[in-house]
Amino acid sequence: MDAIIQYDKSEFHETSSGIKISKKSIIKGTEQINVSGRCIFFNDVILRGDLAKVSIGKYLVVHEKVTLKPSYTYGYTKESPTKKVIKFLPLMISDYVEIESSSIIQATKIGTCTSIGKNCYISHRCIIGENSIILDDSILPPDTVVPANSVYGGRPAVYIAETPESTAIIQKQKLINFYKNFVPKS
Amino acid sequence: MFQFKKIAKLPLILIQCECGREFLQEEMYCCLSCQNSMCRYCTSNEIFCYYCRNCGDVQITSETSNLTVNCSSCFECPVCKNVLRRQIDTEKNYGFTCSYCFYTTRSIGVTDPNFQQVYTKINNAYKQEYEAEYKDFQDQYNRIKSIENNNFLIKKQQKNKHVLKSLTQSWTKSEALIHYSNADIDKMTKEKNLKVVLQRYNLDLNNKQVELQDFNPSQQTSTQLPIPLGLLSRKNRKCRKCQKLIFTLQPEKNSKKFAYSVQNLHYDHAPYLQVGKVSYVNKEKTELSVVIQMFNKTKNAMEYSFSPLDQQILEQYKLLTVKNLPSPTFTFNNDNIESDVQQYQKFEAILIIKDATKIQFAFSVSAKIKMPMDQQQLNYNVNVYIGTL
C-alpha cells in the first residue's frame, strides 16, 4: 500500500501528456527540452535546457532542490579552431528514474530503472548504467562509468554490490504507483 | 548482493524461504521442476563472464581460454580507489591522474611521450618490487602446466579403446611420472604460490561497508604505484537440488547491458500480493482488519488455495490468527490481460492481535501452464508486516 500524496492544483502545472511541474521550479531553455510524459518535478528544481539539449524519458520523479545541468568538455569549434573552448554535451535521462532531494546532476547519460539518493553529486561526463543504485551522500568523480546492475556509494563513489535481477520490475512498479498516488486535492 | 527489503516501507509483504530468510516477492526465484520458490542463498552461481567496470571489456569464460584477473588498460588510485584517467602535460608526456584526489603518476616518475610505454613502466616497476616471488611463481606455473598437459594426453589415449592396453600401461610407468613423483607434487601443493596459480579467477568483491569519513584530497600524498583494476563477474543461477538453470545470460560484448535468455522468477509464476487498507475494528484495538489484494500478472490462469498455519506454531511464536480466509480454491482468469484494467481478487481478513504486528500465513498456488508441463504447483509461506498504526 503506497501512501497517497495530495498536492494543490494551484501550485503545479499539468500538461496533456501527464507532466506535473511545480510553479516554484526553474526551467530554462524549454525549446531544447524533450520530455516523454508522466514526470513529476517538485519544488526548487533547476533544469538547464539553455546550455544543451535535454531529453527525458517517462516516469521520472525529481524531488526537491535538485539541479539538472548538462555536462561540458573542452574542445575546438569552428569559431575558435586554435583555442580550446567549453562545449556543453547533451543530457539524456531514460525511463523510470528517481532522483532524491538536494542532489546535483551533471551526467551525460542515466540509464533506465536507476535511483539516485539524497545529497548526491554526480560530476560531469559520468555515465550511469541501467538498473543501478547510487546511495545517499555519494560523490561520483568526473568521467566515471557506472556499469549496469551495480550499487555505488561513498566519497568518491566506489563499487559496493550487485543488484538483483529483478530491480527493473521493482523500480517500475514503485514509480508507476508513485505517479498514480500523486493526486490533486479534491 | 543488495537487498531491497532494507529500503522498503511498511506495510510490507515478504516471502519466507525454506532456509528461514525473508525476501520481497520480486527477489525470489522459482524452480519449476522442484516446484519450489527459493531465495538467492539457496541457488548456486556459475560464472558466465568477467568484465571491467570502467572500459567495459568483457571476457566470456566459455569462449576465451586465457582469462585475466585484472584489466590491462585501467588502473585504480591507491589513495581513494577511484579509476584513473589519462593526462597530457604541457611537455606532451602521458600519465595517469585521479580526478578526485590529486594523485598523479608524474610524482612517481612514470610518464612517457608514448602512452603504451607508460604501461610497460608500471609493469616493470611492479616486477622490480616482486622480482624474486615472480620468478618462483613462473617456474611453478610452468611445471604445473606441463603436468596438466601430460594428464590430458593420458586421458585422451585412454579414451581411444582401440589403442592397445600395453601402451597405457607403458605410459603409466613412463617418464612423466618419474620426473614428478607424488612426493614432489605434494611439496608443490603445500607451497604458497600454488594458491595464486589455482586461483586464476578473480575473487568477487563482497559487500563492502562504506563509511563516510572526512577526506581532504589536498592533504593526501602517495608514492605508490597505480593499482590494476580488478575484474567483476556476471553469473548464471542454478537450483541446488536439481542443478537446472534458473537465470542465464545472453552472450554480449557490452557491459552496459546484460540481457537474460532464461529467467524464472517467483514473480512470473505466482500471484502478486499487495496490502490494501489496514484499520482497527474495535475501540479496544484488539482486532485488526487487513485487505490484501492479489494480482495475476502471468499469462496463465491460476488456482489458489490457502492453508493457515498450525495453532502450535502460532502459539509458539505469538503470531496472529487469521480468520475469514476465502474459500479453499478459486480460479483467477486473466482474459483481459491485454487491456490496462487489472483484474484482482481481494479478501479481507479479521485478525486478533496478541503481541506483534506481524501476520504469517501459508498458502499454495497451483498454476496451469500450457507448455511444456501440464500443471505446476508452488508452495510457499508469506509474511505480512504491518507496523504500528
Side-chain angles (χ1 to χ4, degrees):
Chain A
M1 181 182 72
D2 294 322
I4 293 170
I5 301 169
Q6 290 181 339
Y7 65 93
D8 277 333
K9 266 192 175 180
S10 59
E11 291 180 4
F12 276 81
H13 291 295
E14 187 170 352
T15 64
S16 58
S17 56
I19 301 165
K20 297 178 183 175
I21 306 169
S22 81
K23 292 182 181 177
K24 292 182 184 176
S25 61
I26 299 166
I27 294 169
K28 289 195 171 181
T30 52
E31 296 168 353
Q32 288 189 327
I33 297 171
N34 185 12
V35 184
S36 297
R38 298 186 187 178
C39 299
I40 300 171
F41 294 89
F42 282 89
N43 299 336
D44 299 324
V45 168
I46 298 169
L47 180 53
R48 297 292 303 272
D50 54 341
L51 303 170
K53 279 187 185 176
V54 177
S55 63
I56 294 170
K58 57 185 179 183
Y59 289 105
L60 170 69
V61 175
V62 182
H63 290 268
E64 293 90 356
K65 297 178 186 175
V66 170
T67 59
L68 294 166
K69 195 177 166 185
S71 60
Y72 63 89
T73 55
Y74 293 99
Y76 300 104
T77 58
K78 286 182 184 177
E79 296 165 351
S80 65
T82 53
K83 195 178 178 183
K84 280 191 178 177
V85 172
I86 290 172
K87 268 201 273 185
F88 286 98
L89 302 170
L91 170 63
M92 193 170 124
I93 300 175
S94 304
D95 306 332
Y96 303 103
V97 175
E98 186 181 14
I99 303 170
E100 296 279 352
S101 58
S102 308
S103 56
I104 298 167
I105 288 159
Q106 288 184 314
T108 52
K109 189 180 174 185
I110 298 175
T112 59
C113 304
T114 55
S115 67
I116 297 168
K118 297 177 188 174
N119 298 323
C120 288
Y121 180 68
I122 295 171
S123 312
H124 39 275
R125 299 189 298 273
C126 288
I127 295 170
I128 299 173
E130 56 186 24
N131 304 329
S132 56
I133 295 168
I134 292 166
L135 302 175
D136 298 342
D137 300 315
S138 60
I139 294 174
L140 263 80
D143 298 311
T144 52
V145 176
V146 176
N149 290 88
S150 57
V151 178
Y152 266 62
R155 292 176 182 173
V158 169
Y159 178 88
I160 291 170
E162 193 181 356
T163 56
E165 292 89 346
S166 54
T167 47
I169 296 167
I170 294 168
Q171 186 74 2
K172 281 180 188 175
Q173 277 175 359
K174 183 184 168 188
L175 291 175
I176 289 169
N177 289 334
F178 188 92
Y179 184 83
K180 279 184 186 174
N181 293 330
F182 191 70
V183 166
K185 285 181 186 174
S186 57
Chain B
M1 214 186 220
F2 189 75
Q3 282 190 27
F4 280 98
K5 189 175 74 168
K6 297 177 186 176
I7 297 174
K9 295 177 186 175
L10 293 171
L12 193 59
I13 290 177
L14 299 174
I15 291 174
Q16 191 172 14
C17 184
E18 286 178 347
C19 56
R21 297 184 183 93
E22 293 171 341
F23 287 91
L24 288 175
Q25 298 171 69
E26 294 90 346
E27 288 180 313
M28 294 286 286
Y29 304 100
C30 171
C31 181
L32 294 172
S33 57
C34 298
Q35 297 184 351
N36 199 6
S37 58
M38 59 194 71
C39 65
R40 61 183 69 158
Y41 295 103
C42 299
T43 57
S44 61
N45 291 329
E46 185 188 41
I47 291 170
F48 175 77
C49 69
Y50 292 93
Y51 70 99
C52 176
R53 66 180 194 257
N54 187 43
C55 60
D57 186 25
V58 175
Q59 298 178 12
I60 297 171
T61 53
S62 58
E63 292 178 7
T64 57
S65 58
N66 294 325
L67 293 167
T68 56
V69 175
N70 300 315
C71 185
S72 58
S73 58
C74 300
F75 292 95
E76 210 175 45
C77 177
V79 176
C80 63
K81 308 291 179 189
N82 183 32
V83 178
L84 298 174
R85 59 175 184 151
R86 295 182 191 179
Q87 187 198 26
I88 303 171
D89 295 343
T90 52
E91 300 167 5
K92 295 192 179 179
N93 286 329
Y94 285 95
F96 285 109
T97 56
C98 178
S99 53
Y100 189 74
C101 64
F102 296 108
Y103 171 81
T104 60
T105 52
R106 201 200 305 171
S107 59
I108 301 168
V110 181
T111 55
D112 202 270
N114 187 0
F115 190 68
Q116 287 181 355
Q117 290 291 324
V118 178
Y119 288 110
T120 53
K121 280 189 180 179
I122 292 169
N123 289 328
N124 289 334
Y126 269 113
K127 275 186 184 177
Q128 286 171 8
E129 285 188 27
Y130 303 107
E131 195 171 354
E133 291 185 23
Y134 189 72
K135 273 186 183 176
D136 291 337
F137 168 78
Q138 260 190 333
D139 291 336
Q140 283 156 22
Y141 183 73
N142 291 330
R143 268 191 221 170
I144 288 160
K145 250 200 165 176
S146 62
I147 291 168
E148 283 181 356
N149 286 333
N150 289 332
N151 288 337
F152 178 73
L153 287 169
I154 290 166
K155 281 183 185 176
K156 205 178 178 182
Q157 286 188 355
Q158 282 177 353
K159 276 185 186 178
N160 297 329
K161 289 185 181 177
H162 64 275
V163 174
L164 293 170
K165 283 188 183 178
S166 60
L167 269 176
T168 57
Q169 286 172 0
S170 65
W171 186 258
T172 52
K173 295 177 187 175
S174 68
E175 301 138 358
L177 287 175
I178 289 169
H179 283 305
Y180 307 104
S181 62
N182 287 331
D184 289 336
I185 291 166
D186 287 338
K187 273 187 189 177
M188 284 192 275
T189 51
K190 284 179 186 175
E191 286 169 1
K192 288 180 186 178
N193 288 329
L194 262 178
K195 287 183 186 176
V196 178
V197 171
L198 292 172
Q199 286 177 355
R200 288 184 189 180
Y201 305 117
N202 190 14
L203 293 173
D204 290 328
L205 298 171
N206 293 322
N207 291 326
K208 288 184 187 175
Q209 290 181 354
V210 177
E211 294 177 355
L212 290 174
Q213 295 173 355
D214 292 332
F215 178 77
N216 192 351
S218 60
Q219 291 178 359
Q220 302 287 333
T221 56
S222 174
T223 57
Q224 293 178 354
L225 288 166
I227 302 165
L229 198 64
L231 297 176
L232 302 173
S233 66
R234 294 280 181 202
K235 297 149 199 156
N236 294 332
R237 285 193 184 270
K238 281 184 181 179
C239 177
R240 282 198 181 177
K241 291 179 186 176
C242 60
Q243 296 295 318
K244 285 198 176 174
L245 288 167
I246 296 172
F247 261 86
T248 55
L249 285 160
Q250 283 180 359
E252 281 191 24
K253 297 198 173 175
N254 184 7
S255 71
K256 290 174 190 172
K257 279 188 183 179
F258 281 100
Y260 297 100
S261 60
V262 175
Q263 49 184 351
N264 286 318
L265 282 171
H266 174 88
Y267 179 84
D268 295 330
H269 298 285
Y272 183 71
L273 299 171
Q274 201 170 352
V275 176
K277 199 176 171 184
V278 178
S279 61
Y280 286 113
V281 176
N282 292 344
K283 286 185 182 179
E284 298 162 1
K285 297 186 181 180
T286 55
E287 289 188 2
L288 212 156
S289 78
V290 177
V291 176
I292 295 177
Q293 297 171 341
M294 305 169 76
F295 295 85
N296 184 5
K297 297 198 173 185
T298 65
K299 295 178 184 177
N300 308 304
M302 283 190 183
E303 288 181 358
Y304 301 161
S305 61
F306 290 93
S307 57
L309 291 172
D310 294 334
Q311 282 189 354
Q312 289 180 357
I313 294 169
L314 291 172
E315 288 172 359
Q316 186 181 356
Y317 295 105
K318 294 183 182 177
L319 296 173
L320 306 170
T321 54
V322 179
K323 288 184 179 178
N324 294 355
L325 282 173
S327 59
T329 57
F330 56 92
T331 57
F332 181 22
N333 293 318
N334 56 353
D335 296 329
N336 296 329
I337 195 160
E338 292 177 355
S339 65
D340 290 336
V341 176
Q342 277 187 331
Q343 288 188 352
Y344 64 91
Q345 288 273 4
K346 69 174 182 181
F347 67 94
E348 187 169 344
I350 295 174
L351 311 165
I352 298 171
I353 298 171
K354 286 188 181 177
D355 281 328
T357 55
K358 173 184 162 183
I359 307 167
Q360 189 172 19
F361 58 92
F363 67 91
S364 65
V365 171
S366 63
K368 286 181 184 174
I369 299 171
K370 289 176 187 175
M371 289 294 288
M373 295 175 229
D374 290 335
Q375 191 164 0
Q376 298 299 316
Q377 191 174 2
L378 283 175
N379 303 317
Y380 54 96
N381 294 341
V382 177
N383 296 342
V384 180
Y385 291 89
I386 295 170
T388 54
L389 290 174

